[in-house]
Amino acid sequence: MPYCRVIVPLLTGFLAWTTGCQTLLDLLPEDTSGQVTITAVRTGCSEMSRSVALTANAQDASLTFQWYFPDGTSLVGSNVIHTFDEPGSYNITLLAGGKVTRTRISVPLQGESDGAGDPFGDRCVPNEGDTHVPTNSDVTYLTNPPASGPHYSQAGLSPVDPGIYTNQIRAERWVHNLEHGQVVVLFDCSGDCPESLIQNFETLFDSVRLSKHGNKKLIVTRFEGLQVPIMAIAWDVQRDFQSFDLQGLIDFYDLRVDRGPEDEP
């Protein structure tokens, strides 16, 4: 059972409990007056985003708000953002004025997002669809490199087998990987790339965790004309790196793996 801090206002001050939150919250009265309501909307780049922006709406401006989530996370404020590890239905509890308000949401949330930027600071890329096109056809992407869009679909060609490729692979092949919730890391060098960089990418591949399907979902490939030294891409999102950053690339992978529109290996 997760442990967190529950603060309940009393006439003489505050009583702070540190124990299993849900058990204690169940002891508190429900707000049945409708004085506090909850608004939830998807935030982040992708329609598959598991980040939710939550707003507490209250007539009493003096209230403070504490949010409690099933993973044990507790957040404070009238506006908070929480990212859920997996899709599913979740109960959320809001504590305000010694009373609780509850809501249940299904993640990812449907409908339009809040229009804000990515909560993790990555670059949101406009979605270009997921159409399958004939092998060897040329696709002109609105964003180059792309983070979605038309792509090939042929066994042994697209999606690309995970691994490190020192020669450039056509985007039409690896965009299919993005659709399956994989991560693509692009790089470019002036002339031949130093062996040390390739070794760094090998360390990266060895370091990333397995996906929920039991495979590594990482493709590293050269991309001629890349405007930054290294770029990490997942469905609808990109992050630039000015130099090789092992932990930063692992963090991006951990955040984005298995989060494409198709739940495939």
Side-chain angles (χ1 to χ4, degrees):
M1 177 179 294
Y3 285 78
C4 56
R5 187 173 179 84
V6 179
I7 301 177
V8 182
L10 299 176
L11 293 178
T12 57
F14 290 89
L15 172 63
W17 287 327
T18 304
T19 185
C21 287
Q22 195 57 53
T23 300
L24 289 177
L25 291 169
D26 288 342
L27 300 177
L28 299 178
E30 296 273 351
D31 177 22
T32 59
S33 66
Q35 298 291 316
V36 178
T37 60
I38 296 172
T39 302
V41 63
R42 188 179 72 251
T43 191
C45 299
S46 169
E47 72 273 17
M48 303 306 298
S49 173
R50 299 173 195 165
S51 297
V52 177
L54 294 148
T55 301
N57 310 289
Q59 298 178 11
D60 185 351
S62 68
L63 290 178
T64 58
F65 305 97
Q66 287 182 280
W67 303 82
Y68 299 92
F69 300 90
D71 61 2
T73 302
S74 175
L75 298 174
V76 176
S78 58
N79 298 280
V80 299
I81 292 176
H82 183 71
T83 299
F84 296 84
D85 289 335
E86 298 292 339
S89 295
Y90 296 94
N91 292 319
I92 299 170
T93 302
L94 173 63
L95 175 62
K99 295 182 179 180
V100 295
T101 301
R102 305 180 194 277
T103 190
R104 186 172 180 83
I105 62 174
S106 294
V107 177
L109 286 177
Q110 301 302 303
E112 295 296 322
S113 75
D114 63 352
D118 181 72
F120 303 97
D122 293 327
R123 180 170 56 255
C124 295
V125 180
N127 187 272
E128 300 185 44
D130 56 5
T131 305
H132 290 176
V133 297
T135 301
N136 293 327
S137 59
D138 294 324
V139 176
T140 300
Y141 293 100
L142 298 178
T143 301
N144 190 38
S148 64
H151 55 269
Y152 303 158
S153 180
Q154 179 179 316
L157 179 72
S158 176
V160 180
D161 289 336
I164 300 168
Y165 299 85
T166 55
N167 294 322
Q168 180 164 331
I169 296 176
R170 294 183 64 145
E172 292 92 340
R173 294 177 61 190
W174 53 253
V175 166
H176 200 164
N177 294 75
L178 302 180
E179 186 182 33
H180 288 187
Q182 301 198 26
V183 172
V184 174
V185 174
L186 304 178
F187 66 95
D188 195 16
C189 310
S190 299
D192 293 333
C193 292
E195 183 62 29
S196 59
L197 179 62
I198 305 305
Q199 292 174 350
N200 285 338
F201 285 133
E202 291 173 349
T203 299
L204 170 65
F205 190 87
D206 292 340
S207 300
V208 298
R209 62 181 173 86
L210 299 179
S211 75
K212 67 179 181 180
H213 296 282
N215 63 326
K216 295 197 175 187
K217 287 189 167 184
L218 178 66
I219 297 88
V220 180
T221 181
R222 190 166 181 166
F223 190 92
E224 293 183 6
L226 191 66
Q227 297 300 301
V228 293
I230 298 171
M231 181 186 294
I233 306 177
W235 189 256
D236 286 348
V237 63
Q238 298 175 341
R239 184 184 297 182
D240 296 339
F241 293 85
Q242 296 305 316
S243 61
F244 181 81
D245 179 353
L246 178 61
Q247 191 57 56
L249 289 164
I250 291 174
D251 290 345
F252 183 91
Y253 177 93
D254 284 342
L255 183 63
R256 306 297 179 179
V257 70
D258 286 328
R259 299 198 179 191
E262 291 188 1
D263 186 14
E264 298 287 346

